[in-house]
């Protein structure tokens, strides 16, 4: 695994939905090496005014060859609250790209199921794969005001179906229900998903019924983010795994059997 610890500069920080923010960073070495499904550990420089700001893992939401990298994050606790105050020009350290990303096997259609902020790594995958295959994104959020605007992704050819728990936009229900109603996909299709554990289990059950390959991106608490501390180890159907090193993307059968 090649990973880099670099200084990244904040280019732009914006709120994009309720409690949801996008951070655009300049980090050329990491952005150019990044693959969909990988993540970065983000922390303050030693002189950081945001101290204590312990390094935290975030999926790579977008990355380009110009050297820009984006993170899409939810404000859930102390660090992500601090992150909302980051201003352009601020420097952070960043470790990455970390972990095993999506393989997205085959050349058939790619169907993606995102539960809430699980959309973060799937957007990178969708953007990466759209030039060579048909990509559909089934995206579920609690309510319309929590949906991240993805019009630019639609314009790049990705078909997006939205679901909300309260029916305030798109279909009422979850992205797993939307996925199930749309299927089964054409022969040769592959699936990928990211979201809460219960949601991933539902998507896995659907993919199993369809006999379609499925990759799942998992989240755990992490400390080192590089395989050294075992802080992220979890027991999956296939045995004990370190999410930061063996994942965060796993074959669905490895996770649920
Ligand atoms: C590989 C990976 C990729 C991730 N990608 C993203 C991303 O793209 N966008 C994003 O917003 N978040 C992502 N996360 C989660 C993110 O790391 C946490 O939300 C963040 O560390 C919370 O820090 P905090 O100090 O704000 O919250 P804390 O104060 O540490 O926690 C606040 C609350 O959030 C819960 N929480 C914290 N971390 C997690 C977690 N990993 N899973 C479930 N619950 C958690 C805590 O139990 C607590 O209830 C990712 C995590 C991993 C492991
Ligand atoms: S976070 Fe330390 S081993 Fe995974």
């Amino acid at each position: 695994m090649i990973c880099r610890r670099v200084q990244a500069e904040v280019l732009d920080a914006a709120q994009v939905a309720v409690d949801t923010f996008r951070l655009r960073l300049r980090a050329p070495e990491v952005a150019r090496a990044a693959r969909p499904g990988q993540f970065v550990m983000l922390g303050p420089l030693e002189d950081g005014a945001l101290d204590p700001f312990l390094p935290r893992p975030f999926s790579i939401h977008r990355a380009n060859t110009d050297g820009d990298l984006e993170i899409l994050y939810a404000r859930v606790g102390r660090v992500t609250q601090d992150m909302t105050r980051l201003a352009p020009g601020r420097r952070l350290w960043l470790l990455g790209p970390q972990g095993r990303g999506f393989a997205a096997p085959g050349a058939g259609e790619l169907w993606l199921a995102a539960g809430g902020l699980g959309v973060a790594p799937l957007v990178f995958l969708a953007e990466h794969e759209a030039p060579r295959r048909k990509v559909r994104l089934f995206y579920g959020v609690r309510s319309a005001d929590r949906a991240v605007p993805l019009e630019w992704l639609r314009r790049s050819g990705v078909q997006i179906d939205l679901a909300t728990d309260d029916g305030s936009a798109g279909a009422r229900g979850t992205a797993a229900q939307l996925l199930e109603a749309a299927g089964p996909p054409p022969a040769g299709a592959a699936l990928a998903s990211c979201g809460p554990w219960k949601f991933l289990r539902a998507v896995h059950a659907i993919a199993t019924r369809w006999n379609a390959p499925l990759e799942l991106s998992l989240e755990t608490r992490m400390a080192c983010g590089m395989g050294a501390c075992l802080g992220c180890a979890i027991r999956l159907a296939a045995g004990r795994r370190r999410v930061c090193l063996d994942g965060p993307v796993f074959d669905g059968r490895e996770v649920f059997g």
Side-chain angles (χ1 to χ4, degrees), residues 39 41 220-233 242-245:
F39 68 96
M41 295 296 288
T220 53
R221 303 304 292 256
M222 286 185 182
C224 72
M226 53 193 292
C229 71
L230 297 181
C232 65
R242 283 168 297 178
V243 172
C244 70
L245 202 66

Side-chain angles (χ1 to χ4, degrees), residues 103-112 133 185-193 203-204 206-216 250-253:
E109 291 192 14
L110 181 64
W111 286 22
L112 310 175
R133 69 204 300 189
L191 274 64
S193 185
V203 173
H204 172 71
I206 296 165
T208 303
R209 274 201 300 282
W210 292 343
N211 199 22
L214 168 69
E215 292 181 288
L216 300 174
F250 294 88
D251 187 288
R253 289 163 302 189

